[in-house]
Amino acid sequence: MIRKKLNLFLVSLWSVWMLQSCGNPPLVDSTDLVIYGGTSAAITAAVQAKKMGKSVIIVSPDKHLGGLTSGGLGWSDTGKKEVIGGLSREFYQRVYDKYQQENAWKWEAKSDFGNKGQGTPALDGEFKTMWIFEPHVAEEVYEEWIAELGIEVLRDEWLDRETGVTVENGKITAIRTLSGKEFKGKMFMDATYEGDLMAAAGVSYHVGREANSVYSEEWNGVQTGVYHHRHHFQVLDQPIDPYWIPGDPSSGLLPRISAEHPGIKGEGDDKVQAYCFRMCMSNHPDNRIPFPRPANYDSTQYELLVRIFDAGWDEWFDKFDLIPNRKTDTNNHGPFSSDNIGMNYDYPEASYERRKEIIQEHRDYQSGLLYFVQNDPRIPEKTQIAFKEWGLAKDEFVDNDHWPHQIYVREARRMIGTYVMTENELLQKWPTPQSVGMGSYTIDSHNIQRYVDENGHVQNEGDIGVPLPGPYEIAYGSLIPKKEECSNLVVPVAVSASHIAFGSIRMEPVFMILGQSATTAAMMALDQGIAVQDLSYTSLRERLLADGQVLTMEDRIIAK
């Protein structure tokens, strides 16, 4: 009898082994932290979890790690570098180490690089940080960081947004991807630009601009008649007619001008600021590829730009910000540029298929723009000759035809959490409770609409730039949902903030800061068996400071 039972037991073990060997996944315990997303915040979050001795997995819809930081935004929006601490600062120190190696300078001598950054030297020898870098270098840093700590990353795994989030008793217990994989966890993080996990879990969020009356703000909502940067038509000496036949509305509007009324100033809408790709260009003859002519190229899409050049505009090269090795991080600049105004409104809530269509349309528009300026005979000769010296960087984004793999999602969904950051905290009109990091970049929104104004001329709307009195604190409550909605989720990217406050918070160094802080809170709550909303801020603050985070101006990193 004993032998018979033993044989049955062995047969059972063999059966389990055979089932697992034939493709059925083995049964595993829940992971301490499941991170959905492949952004810069996802990386620092995973690193922090490992440093706290926790199990972690990154489930990334992206094949490349780092989001915008490795996707072309190498001209870092640093703000005040002294409030960038923790793992975010370590990232820039690791980039610095890369550029201390002689082989990092392939296309120019290190001594020839101008060392210009946004308000700080690009190569900062005093603090051993590098704030300006090439896309592939940022990606190398992230990949090496992940490898050093043995962090598991599953790529090209897309959340099933319809039925792929299991919530029980106010807690997420598992997520599933479209490939059928399931990931059980004790704590979860949404580290996407879009806030897909947060939304699928039933957490409250907002898309678009709130009316100024919602949070007692000045710079939210529709902002007609406000011209803060040089991305509007007021920079020209003459107004621009929006119609195919000037002065004749019956001839129809030129492409990419809306016929809709822009709305009442200060009122809210469901529109989001424009997206673009941050372009990595090269002017080195051996490392540049001519801008390709898109298959569906249509020169009429850029008719408005011709009129702008004819009006005397001469700022085409003003945002060719130099990064190492004779390359650029080229951003939007001027009344008509790489920002594809008005073509992204449905992106935040769109299906994956629709998002791919929007991204492709943005790529077609932007690549067509580059080809147009380089080849159309109506472009001023001086500009065209100079621009022919530029092309796509041959050694960047090599698996994507040298085009950035990440579109600049400047905003999408924004959580409505236990605390909503507004311009009032940023402008220090009232204090911020329970700081988990600091931001310092100007309140910044790109254009949202292009329309016909009351005088019958074309105008852009939504571009806002409001200086800050100094760095500001970011509330812990902006990283966590309301307790009744979900008690084991943290959200360091699609944070709880108004449209205009998010315009400053949305910088990549800040996302890395918040990724670390959100993980710290989640893992401490896990250890105590409590909801993330019930965590003692005193203990959280103590751990964040011990890990090098800057929470107030008293903690800022200054020269010794």
Side-chain angles (χ1 to χ4, degrees):
M1 181 64 69
I2 294 176
R3 177 175 293 181
K4 185 177 180 180
K5 289 183 177 179
L6 178 60
N7 287 340
L8 287 172
F9 175 71
L10 292 174
V11 168
S12 297
L13 283 179
W14 178 84
S15 298
V16 171
W17 177 83
M18 283 298 293
L19 285 171
Q20 293 180 359
S21 299
C22 290
N24 291 324
L27 298 175
V28 295
D29 293 332
S30 294
T31 304
D32 291 331
L33 178 64
V34 177
I35 299 170
Y36 182 64
T39 59
S40 58
I43 309 305
T44 55
V47 169
Q48 180 66 8
K50 275 288 189 179
K51 288 180 177 292
M52 296 179 74
K54 303 300 184 182
S55 60
V56 61
I57 186 170
I58 297 176
V59 182
S60 173
D62 309 307
K63 296 179 182 178
H64 297 271
L65 299 179
L68 258 296
T69 297
S70 62
L73 206 167
W75 180 261
S76 294
D77 300 311
T78 52
K80 301 296 184 182
K81 65 183 181 182
E82 59 267 28
V83 298
I84 300 173
L87 295 176
S88 184
R89 176 168 286 262
E90 183 176 338
F91 167 79
Y92 297 104
Q93 290 170 335
R94 285 171 173 256
V95 172
Y96 177 89
D97 291 341
K98 287 281 185 182
Y99 283 104
Q100 297 310 302
Q101 301 171 18
E102 187 175 343
N103 61 6
W105 300 91
K106 182 176 181 180
W107 304 111
E108 72 176 335
K110 182 179 178 181
S111 58
D112 291 337
F113 180 57
N115 206 29
K116 179 183 177 183
Q118 288 202 56
T120 184
L123 270 164
D124 189 338
E126 183 179 24
F127 293 99
K128 292 182 169 47
T129 48
M130 177 68 163
W131 304 100
I132 310 299
F133 45 84
E134 299 158 275
H136 77 270
V137 171
E139 188 168 3
E140 285 176 7
V141 169
Y142 286 132
E143 291 289 354
E144 291 170 3
W145 215 351
I146 289 293
E148 285 174 18
L149 296 173
I151 295 171
E152 184 178 2
V153 181
L154 277 76
R155 305 167 197 254
D156 200 21
E157 289 288 344
W158 298 78
L159 178 69
D160 180 347
R161 292 158 55 191
E162 298 299 323
T163 61
V165 180
T166 301
V167 179
E168 298 176 0
N169 300 319
K171 297 174 68 175
I172 302 172
T173 58
I175 64 172
R176 291 174 296 282
T177 57
L178 295 178
S179 69
K181 295 184 178 68
E182 183 175 77
F183 304 90
K184 296 181 179 180
K186 299 170 184 173
M187 290 287 175
F188 288 81
M189 172 181 288
D190 185 335
T192 65
Y193 293 118
E194 295 84 2
D196 282 342
L197 173 56
M198 168 193 73
V203 170
S204 299
Y205 61 86
H206 188 81
V207 175
R209 297 183 281 189
E210 300 91 347
N212 275 331
S213 59
V214 174
Y215 297 117
S216 300
E217 296 176 297
E218 178 181 359
W219 302 111
N220 209 338
V222 176
Q223 294 290 320
T224 48
V226 177
Y227 310 114
H228 282 175
H229 292 124
R230 298 186 63 77
H231 312 317
H232 50 77
F233 289 82
Q234 297 299 107
V235 300
L236 305 174
D237 293 332
Q238 62 190 62
I240 301 296
D241 193 284
Y243 303 108
W244 278 107
I245 299 175
D248 182 5
S250 67
S251 66
L253 290 169
L254 294 178
R256 302 178 188 277
I257 301 175
S258 173
E260 295 182 5
H261 188 277
I264 300 172
K265 185 174 181 180
E267 291 299 307
D269 59 23
D270 59 358
K271 300 177 174 67
V272 294
Q273 56 181 307
Y275 300 170
C276 69
F277 289 92
R278 298 289 287 249
M279 298 305 303
C280 186
M281 302 180 184
S282 171
N283 68 351
H284 194 292
D286 297 328
N287 194 40
R288 71 173 181 229
I289 296 174
F291 299 117
R293 177 188 172 107
N296 58 353
Y297 176 68
D298 177 6
S299 65
T300 65
Q301 296 297 307
Y302 312 104
E303 188 69 27
L304 186 57
L305 181 60
V306 174
R307 295 189 184 184
I308 294 169
F309 275 124
D310 288 347
W313 185 72
D314 188 24
E315 300 178 17
W316 177 253
F317 299 99
D318 278 22
K319 279 302 291 178
F320 281 49
D321 293 317
L322 296 178
I323 61 177
N325 284 307
R326 292 178 58 172
K327 299 176 189 176
T328 69
D329 168 0
T330 303
N331 195 13
N332 177 81
H333 181 76
F336 189 103
S337 184
S338 58
D339 275 4
N340 197 4
I341 300 172
M343 303 301 288
N344 62 339
Y345 297 156
D346 59 334
Y347 180 91
E349 303 271 36
S351 66
Y352 293 135
E353 291 74 18
R354 175 59 185 144
R355 283 182 186 167
K356 288 177 182 177
E357 293 174 356
I358 295 170
I359 291 170
Q360 185 62 52
E361 197 281 332
H362 278 67
R363 178 169 174 170
D364 290 343
Y365 162 74
Q366 200 164 333
S367 59
L369 173 66
L370 299 173
Y371 182 85
F372 180 81
V373 175
Q374 205 166 61
N375 293 279
D376 196 279
R378 294 172 291 173
I379 298 300
E381 183 179 20
K382 179 182 177 182
T383 297
Q384 194 164 75
I385 290 174
F387 193 43
K388 284 183 180 292
E389 297 294 317
W390 293 93
L392 298 176
K394 189 176 182 179
D395 60 351
E396 298 289 351
F397 313 118
V398 295
D399 64 345
N400 198 41
D401 296 325
H402 313 286
W403 194 266
H405 47 70
Q406 175 67 58
I407 193 171
Y408 197 168
V409 179
R410 288 191 170 92
E411 65 175 333
R413 298 186 185 95
R414 302 185 309 280
M415 180 171 63
I416 303 175
T418 63
Y419 192 90
V420 179
M421 293 289 296
T422 72
E423 69 177 43
N424 298 296
E425 287 85 1
L426 277 61
L427 295 174
Q428 299 179 24
K429 293 181 178 179
W430 55 57
T432 303
Q434 301 185 343
S435 174
V436 289
M438 300 193 76
S440 60
Y441 199 82
T442 298
I443 295 177
D444 179 76
S445 171
H446 280 233
N447 278 309
I448 292 173
Q449 302 179 85
R450 179 176 290 132
Y451 67 102
V452 180
D453 68 17
E454 63 275 11
N455 298 313
H457 304 136
V458 63
Q459 191 54 269
N460 294 337
E461 181 274 325
D463 190 276
I464 300 296
V466 180
L468 299 172
Y472 58 88
E473 299 168 12
I474 300 172
Y476 174 49
S478 68
L479 306 186
I480 53 177
K482 299 170 184 174
K483 187 177 179 180
E484 62 270 20
E485 293 182 344
C486 191
S487 62
N488 69 334
L489 174 69
V490 286
V491 184
V493 179
V495 298
S496 179
S498 70
H499 154 75
I500 200 61
F502 191 76
S504 171
I505 295 170
R506 66 181 176 84
M507 305 306 160
E508 292 288 300
V510 177
F511 285 155
M512 286 190 275
I513 290 169
L514 299 182
Q516 178 181 356
S517 291
T519 293
T520 304
M523 296 302 92
M524 291 180 68
L526 177 62
D527 284 342
Q528 297 175 38
I530 59 175
V532 293
Q533 294 84 0
D534 294 335
L535 181 66
S536 162
Y537 175 68
T538 301
S539 59
L540 174 60
R541 180 179 184 276
E542 182 179 345
R543 178 61 194 255
L544 293 177
L545 290 174
D547 287 340
Q549 292 281 56
V550 176
L551 306 184
T552 70
M553 285 300 288
E554 293 180 358
D555 313 318
R556 68 189 185 279
I557 300 169
I558 57 178
K560 292 182 171 59

